[in-house]
Amino acid sequence: MTKKTKSRARARRERPLRLFMFANLALQFSACLLLVFSDEGIDLVAATMAFSLPALSYFFIGPLPRLLRADRLLVMITDFLCGLGVVVLYALSPELGLRHAVHFALGIGVFAACALCVRRFRRFKLLCLLLAPVSLVLLALPVLIGREINGAKNWISIAGVASFQPSEVTKLALVFVLAQSFSTLRGLKGMVPGIAFAAACLGALMLQKDLGTALLYYLVTLLMFWAASSNVLLTGVGLLGGAGAAVLGYQLFAHVRTRIAIWRNPWSDALGKGYQIVQALTAIASGGFFGVGLGQGESRVIPAYSTDFIFAVLCEQMGILVGIAVLLLFAVLVLRGAQLALASRTALYAILAMSATAFLGLQTFVIIGGVIKLIPLTGVTLPFMSSGGSSMLSCMGLVGILCGVSAVMHDEQDADRRMTAVGQEEQKDEKASS
C-alpha cells in the first residue's frame, strides 16, 4: 500500500470525527449567541465567549491530540460534554458558566500532564511512593479542618475564597497505585500495597461521611482486583463486605437514612427533605422531548441545580432527547476506555485504562441514577458538566490517563512497524548478496 493510499484511507476514517468536531464547534458558537440576547439586554461577556469557547475547544480537539498522540474520539466526547456544561451553567448563572470555562481550561492542562506522565514516565513505583502519602495527608485534612456540606465533611476552604475536595484529587493517585500494585507478578501478596492504600482512603472518607465517593473508591478497587486476579471467591467476599458496610452506614449516619427514605418515597415530604428530587423529576418531565429552551424553565428552584442535579437542568432546557444523547456519549466513552484496556499489551497500562474508565462510568451511573430515582442519591458530581473545579480537574486527568495509554499503544505500533521494515531490508540485503 502506497503512502498516498494510506493517507486516503486515514482521511476516510477521520471524516466522521471531523464532522463531529465542526458540529460541536458550531453548536458552541450558536448556543453562546443565544445567550447574548438576554432579557436585560446584550450580554457582551456571552458574545466574547461565543468566540473564546470554540477557540479553546479547537485547541483541545485539534492541535493538542496530535502533539500528545491522544485518542481523538475520547477527546471530542470530553470536549462536547465540557462545552455543553459551560453553556448550560452560563444560562443559569453567568458567574457559574465563566468559572466552569476557567476550570475547563485548567483541566486541559491536567489532561496534558497526565497523558504525558503515562506516556513518558516509566518509574511508576517511585511515582506511587510519592503520591500515596501526599494523598492520604490531603484526605485527612477535611476531617481536621474541613467544612460540612449536606452531611459530609469533605471540603477544604483556601483563605476563605476558594475550596476544593481532596477526594477528587486522590482519585488520580488511586488509579496509579492500583495499576502499579495489581500489575505485579507476585500474586495476591503483590496486591497488598494497593489494597492497603485503598483501605486507608476508604477510612478517611468514612470519617468525612462522604459515602458517595467512598462507594466509588470501593467499587473501582474491587473491580480492578477481580480484573487483575480473576479470584471470584475473594471478589464475592468483597461484595458481601461492601453490603455489610452499607448496612452499617445506614445504621450509623442519619443523612444516609434520610436519603434512603427520600428515594423510596420523595413525595411523602415534597416540601422538605424530598424537595430536591421532586423538583428534579418535575423539571425532567416539564422539559419533554425537546426542552423549554436554553436558560428557560424553573430548574433554579432546585438548591443543588448546578452540581448534583445538572442533568435534570439539561433535560428541562434541552429536552430528554439531548439527555439520552449525553448518556450515549458517556456510554461510548466507557466502551472506548474498555477497548483501550483490552488492547493494552501490559497489565500496568490495562489496569490504568480500566481504573480510569471505571471511575468515569460508575460516577456517571451513580449520579444520573440518583437524579432519575433509579438508586438513592449519593451526592457525587456528573463528570465534565457539574459545576466544581475539583471534579473537572480529576475527570480531565482520568481522560488524560486514558489518552496516555492510547499514545503508548501508538508508540508500540510504530516500533513494530520499524522492526518489520528493518527485517524486510535485511532480507533484501541477504538476497542481493546471495
Side-chain angles (χ1 to χ4, degrees):
M1 184 180 290
T2 64
K3 291 184 178 180
K4 190 174 183 179
T5 305
K6 289 181 180 179
S7 63
R8 288 179 178 175
R10 189 184 305 111
R12 284 195 297 269
R13 289 194 302 269
E14 293 183 354
R15 189 174 300 163
L17 293 178
R18 290 179 180 175
L19 290 175
F20 182 79
M21 178 182 72
F22 288 120
N24 181 26
L25 297 178
L27 177 64
Q28 291 179 0
F29 179 74
S30 58
C32 290
L33 282 184
L34 286 176
L35 297 174
V36 171
F37 305 99
S38 64
D39 296 335
E40 300 176 359
I42 303 298
D43 190 340
L44 296 179
V45 177
T48 304
M49 198 168 67
F51 296 95
S52 58
L53 180 59
L56 178 65
S57 292
Y58 178 76
F59 169 74
F60 181 46
I61 62 183
L64 191 60
R66 288 195 291 270
L67 290 173
L68 301 176
R69 303 201 73 177
D71 188 275
R72 296 282 298 278
L73 180 60
L74 287 175
V75 172
M76 288 186 181
I77 291 175
T78 301
D79 177 77
F80 177 86
L81 295 172
C82 291
L84 190 60
V86 170
V87 171
V88 172
L89 286 171
Y90 192 95
L92 294 169
S93 167
E95 181 184 356
L96 288 175
L98 288 175
R99 191 183 304 167
H100 200 65
V102 172
H103 293 156
F104 177 31
L106 295 175
I108 292 175
V110 176
F111 163 86
C114 290
L116 287 173
C117 179
V118 173
R119 185 183 181 189
R120 298 299 184 188
F121 200 74
R122 292 294 180 265
R123 302 180 66 182
F124 280 98
K125 187 174 182 179
L126 175 61
L127 178 65
C128 293
L129 290 175
L130 294 173
L131 288 176
V134 173
S135 300
L136 291 176
V137 170
L138 286 175
L139 278 180
L141 289 178
V143 179
L144 302 175
I145 60 173
R147 58 191 179 96
E148 185 172 318
I149 298 178
N150 295 327
K153 193 177 181 182
N154 54 355
W155 287 87
I156 296 178
S157 296
I158 303 175
V161 178
S163 60
F164 79 102
Q165 285 182 279
S167 59
E168 293 289 341
V169 180
T170 310
K171 286 180 183 177
L172 302 177
L174 183 64
V175 168
F176 281 107
V177 172
L178 290 180
Q180 173 62 34
S181 178
F182 288 5
S183 62
T184 60
L185 300 177
R186 293 180 295 160
L188 295 178
K189 291 183 179 179
M191 297 182 180
V192 170
I195 296 174
F197 176 70
C201 292
L202 288 171
L205 291 171
M206 292 297 287
L207 291 175
Q208 297 174 22
K209 301 179 183 179
D210 189 0
L211 302 185
T213 306
L215 174 66
L216 292 178
Y217 276 50
Y218 185 80
L219 290 178
V220 169
T221 303
L222 191 63
L223 281 173
M224 293 310 101
F225 173 81
W226 176 74
S229 68
S230 299
N231 194 316
V232 178
L233 178 60
L234 291 181
T235 304
V237 171
L239 286 173
L240 291 176
V247 174
L248 182 62
Y250 179 83
Q251 298 294 331
L252 293 178
F253 302 122
H255 70 284
V256 175
R257 294 193 294 272
T258 300
R259 288 181 176 180
I260 296 295
I262 291 171
W263 170 62
R264 294 180 63 185
N265 186 10
W267 288 272
S268 63
D269 191 10
L271 297 179
K273 295 176 181 179
Y275 179 77
Q276 287 205 114
I277 189 65
V278 168
Q279 293 301 321
L281 294 173
T282 303
I284 295 173
S286 64
F289 283 105
F290 304 104
V292 298
L294 190 62
Q296 306 301 312
E298 302 297 330
S299 53
R300 292 178 183 84
V301 301
I302 307 173
Y305 65 85
S306 65
T307 52
D308 297 10
F309 292 92
I310 191 66
F311 184 74
V313 176
L314 173 73
C315 290
E316 182 187 40
Q317 294 191 7
M318 296 189 173
I320 294 175
L321 291 179
V322 174
I324 293 173
V326 168
L327 289 176
L328 292 176
L329 286 176
F330 274 114
V332 173
L333 188 150
V334 170
L335 290 174
R336 182 57 177 163
Q339 185 181 26
L340 290 174
L342 293 173
S344 298
R345 298 183 182 181
T346 62
L348 175 66
Y349 294 115
I351 297 176
L352 268 177
M354 189 58 73
S355 300
T357 302
F359 258 124
L360 292 170
L362 288 171
Q363 184 169 333
T364 302
F365 170 76
V366 165
I367 185 58
I368 293 182
V371 169
I372 64 175
K373 215 178 85 65
L374 179 65
I375 59 175
L377 189 68
T378 56
V380 298
T381 56
L382 181 62
F384 313 115
M385 296 188 65
S386 291
S387 177
S390 305
S391 175
M392 173 65 83
L393 296 182
S394 68
C395 291
M396 293 291 283
L398 292 172
V399 177
I401 290 173
L402 287 173
C403 289
V405 173
S406 174
V408 169
M409 292 171 57
H410 287 305
D411 293 340
E412 292 173 345
Q413 291 169 1
D414 288 346
D416 291 343
R417 283 192 287 266
R418 287 194 296 269
M419 292 294 294
T420 302
V422 170
Q424 291 174 349
E425 289 295 329
E426 289 178 352
Q427 290 177 0
K428 291 180 180 179
D429 293 338
E430 290 178 359
K431 291 179 180 180
S433 62
S434 61

